[in-house]
Amino acid sequence: MKKNLLLLLCCGLVQIIPLIYRFTFGYGEAFIYPSMLSHTLLIIPIIVIFTLKNRYTKAFLIIWISWLFIGELKILTYYNINPYYISMDEGCIIYAIYLAFMSLGILIHDVNTRPPVLTESARAQGRLLIKDLSWLEPVLVAFPLIWFADFIRSVGFIPIFAGTDVTNMMYEIKYGYVYNYGFLNCIAAVLLYDRYLKSESRGKRLLWVALVGISLLVMSVDSKRLFLLTSLLAIFIYDKIMAGVLTVDKRTLVMLGCGMLFYILLQNLRLGNASESPFARDGLPLGAEFREYVRAVNEFKPGQIPNYDFAASMVGAFVNSFVLRIAGFDKGELVAKDSAYSFMKLFDEENTLGIRTGLISELYFAYDFYGLILITLFGVLVSYLSYKLISVRLQSSLVILSTIWGLLVLSVFGQTSVTVGCLCVLTYLYIIIRLIKLIQSRNQGATAQYDLHYHPGSQPQTAYPEVPGLSGPANDTHLPDYRR
């Protein structure tokens, strides 16, 4: 009964929010507000949230719904400072329709997936996590220092501390070879946080949480925020998985606060205005990507963005440049067809920076409403990933999947060419891990590659009763199948 009342409350609230906007801001121009129709469409993903069994998928969908409200507030607060024409409603309706289809894709996978059914003894035993990274783990933990050293060697200074606006040069700087693999900083941050979770003494916990903070600072020295936000989301989901429950607690609020603080601070530092209030300059300091998406909807139709090719840029970003050269393609030319480059000069011919508008915007302008097929499949992928998170046994898989989860969440306002480029780096890492395991299993025996650890309070693995390479008795003893 309480669940149904909460569902009705949420559906009613999203309906009256457009009225609250009009009462709060008091603008006389009707075009600046979203209509009740755009918010009525949100009832579909809200109902899906209350229907889903997997809490991690629910969290994903809640974040994507919240982005609509953040974008609306961004436009409304920015209009008070720069009152140029921007009609919000059509963009909001398109976003809500895509969001509804994505939620249906999530639901299709969710209803056809059986979640683990755990006994009380299984819950008490805790999640069995197999540490399989061996000597690669300390290398990954130290990667931020390697990345930072190569960065300083190549660049010679730290952009965020330049004291001037670095946005015009941040994409032109030669960062060095290691910089291209900077997404591994996110993996390092999760592994450092794992050390924090396992530390028993207060001193060690303080040490490891300080190192997590340092790694977040290091990966932000170029003033870009993708690695930082992905790391925070990956740490958040990793923490909840290890705790065995996804709840909003004090630690969650601290993570959320740190993420917003870092985001705003980096925005000011990259503009050389660390002391200036971002609210006075831009209104709400979040949601600029949604604003640019709505502006594009106002002025362009699908297929009208010059040089924009979603599929070509995605392939160019993911496939190795050597392979592309053999096939007769230039990686740079393919990537330049992505949304960031193609949207760059739509509203300002002098602009030298890319414009991010998010996955929904990319699919809509590339394929019109045929893109609903792709966003539905994306929803299926999100649900599949969320179920894998609660079933994997290998530490390497859990860390990588947590990072992918954070990366896909950020695709709500990111660009797909960057997303698949990061996935390419993780693919390289996965291949290296598998090769190391293969070599170790041949040289040291089947069980030598595993370091078994239970984590009390977290949900044990139940989806796979066997771990490849682990002997039968070890599987029977350490990895019981609780599905029976």
Side-chain angles (χ1 to χ4, degrees):
M1 186 64 179
K2 290 182 178 180
K3 181 179 178 181
N4 292 333
L5 287 175
L6 183 59
L7 171 60
L8 291 175
L9 179 62
C10 291
C11 291
L13 181 61
V14 297
Q15 280 286 274
I16 65 172
I17 282 179
L19 300 178
I20 295 175
Y21 287 155
R22 291 175 181 268
F23 177 80
T24 303
F25 290 95
Y27 300 134
E29 298 83 0
F31 58 77
I32 193 64
Y33 299 106
S35 67
M36 295 184 68
L37 172 60
S38 66
H39 281 222
T40 300
L41 294 168
L42 293 177
I43 292 177
I44 296 174
I46 290 174
I47 292 175
V48 169
I49 288 174
F50 280 85
T51 307
L52 295 175
K53 303 184 291 289
N54 191 302
R55 289 192 173 187
Y56 304 105
T57 321
K58 290 184 180 184
F60 191 102
L61 195 49
I62 288 171
I63 294 172
W64 276 55
I65 294 174
S66 301
W67 183 246
L68 173 65
F69 299 115
I70 291 173
E72 290 173 346
L73 288 172
K74 173 65 176 182
I75 292 172
L76 290 168
T77 55
Y78 187 78
Y79 187 76
N80 186 54
I81 302 168
N82 297 284
Y84 60 79
Y85 176 84
I86 178 169
S87 179
M88 195 191 305
D89 193 46
E90 184 180 3
C92 291
I93 290 175
I94 293 169
Y95 184 91
I97 292 174
Y98 268 80
L99 192 61
F101 273 79
M102 185 185 81
S103 64
L104 291 175
I106 291 174
L107 183 62
I108 290 171
H109 181 271
D110 187 85
V111 297
N112 289 286
T113 304
R114 185 176 63 176
V117 179
L118 306 177
T119 63
E120 289 301 319
S121 60
R123 293 184 182 278
Q125 184 184 37
R127 185 188 185 107
L128 176 63
L129 191 63
I130 303 173
K131 296 189 64 177
D132 61 324
L133 289 171
S134 65
W135 58 264
L136 187 59
E137 181 174 352
V139 174
L140 290 171
V141 167
F143 182 80
L145 294 178
I146 300 171
W147 185 85
F148 180 69
D150 184 67
F151 180 93
I152 294 299
R153 179 192 63 81
S154 302
V155 178
F157 71 99
I158 300 178
I160 62 171
F161 297 138
T164 59
D165 188 342
V166 298
T167 53
N168 288 327
M169 63 178 178
M170 60 187 291
Y171 294 100
E172 303 297 331
I173 297 174
K174 302 299 181 182
Y175 292 104
Y177 181 76
V178 180
Y179 181 83
N180 295 328
Y181 300 93
F183 195 67
L184 294 179
N185 284 319
C186 303
I187 299 293
V190 178
L191 290 173
L192 285 167
Y193 188 78
D194 179 69
R195 300 284 183 97
Y196 159 77
L197 290 177
K198 294 175 182 175
S199 299
E200 298 180 358
S201 67
R202 180 179 176 84
K204 288 183 177 180
R205 288 174 71 87
L206 289 175
L207 171 63
W208 287 114
V209 77
L211 290 176
V212 171
I214 292 172
S215 71
L216 295 176
L217 180 62
V218 165
M219 69 180 69
S220 306
V221 296
D222 61 350
S223 79
K224 299 175 186 177
R225 293 160 291 188
L226 174 66
F227 298 166
L228 169 69
L229 296 177
T230 301
S231 297
L232 289 172
L233 284 168
I235 288 172
F236 162 76
I237 206 69
Y238 189 87
D239 175 78
K240 298 306 178 184
I241 290 170
M242 297 313 298
V245 61
L246 199 163
T247 57
V248 178
D249 52 16
K250 182 179 179 181
R251 188 179 295 179
T252 302
L253 296 176
V254 169
M255 289 181 184
L256 178 62
C258 289
M260 294 183 65
L261 178 63
F262 272 116
Y263 185 94
I264 296 171
L265 181 60
L266 277 177
Q267 175 70 11
N268 275 19
L269 286 172
R270 70 195 287 181
L271 295 174
N273 300 314
S275 60
E276 182 182 344
S277 170
F279 292 92
R281 184 182 62 247
D282 292 321
L284 186 72
L286 303 170
E289 296 85 358
F290 189 88
R291 180 193 64 200
E292 299 307 297
Y293 151 66
V294 170
R295 290 181 68 189
V297 170
N298 288 171
E299 300 186 28
F300 297 92
K301 297 297 181 183
Q304 293 182 353
I305 308 295
N307 198 46
Y308 177 48
D309 191 326
F310 176 83
S313 63
M314 184 172 64
V315 171
F318 185 80
V319 180
N320 184 273
S321 58
F322 176 75
V323 175
L324 288 173
R325 281 199 302 270
I326 294 177
F329 296 98
D330 180 84
K331 186 180 183 72
E333 290 181 358
L334 291 177
V335 173
K337 296 178 181 291
D338 70 1
S339 60
Y341 285 102
S342 301
F343 283 54
M344 184 167 61
K345 298 185 183 297
L346 291 183
F347 311 114
D348 182 5
E349 285 295 330
E350 303 299 322
N351 187 18
T352 58
L353 303 177
I355 295 177
R356 294 178 301 168
T357 58
L359 178 61
I360 287 177
S361 171
E362 290 181 320
L363 292 177
Y364 172 71
F365 282 105
Y367 306 114
D368 203 343
F369 286 108
Y370 291 107
L372 294 173
I373 299 172
L374 296 179
I375 202 67
T376 303
L377 295 176
F378 179 77
V380 174
L381 172 64
V382 169
S383 182
Y384 173 80
L385 172 64
S386 298
Y387 272 101
K388 289 294 289 184
L389 280 169
I390 62 174
S391 66
V392 293
R393 289 174 174 167
L394 302 179
Q395 182 191 30
S396 61
S397 298
L398 182 56
V399 172
I400 290 174
L401 290 176
S402 298
T403 307
I404 293 175
W405 189 91
L407 181 65
L408 293 185
V409 167
L410 294 179
S411 65
V412 69
F413 60 78
Q415 63 192 78
T416 301
S417 60
V418 173
T419 300
V420 299
C422 294
L423 292 176
C424 179
V425 172
L426 292 183
T427 300
Y428 293 151
L429 175 62
Y430 180 77
I431 292 173
I432 291 173
I433 293 171
R434 299 303 300 175
L435 288 175
I436 292 174
K437 288 180 184 178
L438 179 62
I439 295 172
Q440 287 183 333
S441 63
R442 289 181 176 179
N443 295 340
Q444 301 175 8
T447 60
Q449 58 181 308
Y450 296 111
D451 183 8
L452 307 175
H453 290 275
Y454 281 101
H455 293 268
S458 64
Q459 194 177 55
Q461 138 73 339
T462 60
Y464 305 99
E466 298 290 331
V467 173
L470 203 60
S471 63
N475 268 306
D476 294 338
T477 303
H478 297 288
L479 306 174
D481 182 5
Y482 295 111
R483 293 176 296 174
R484 292 192 293 269

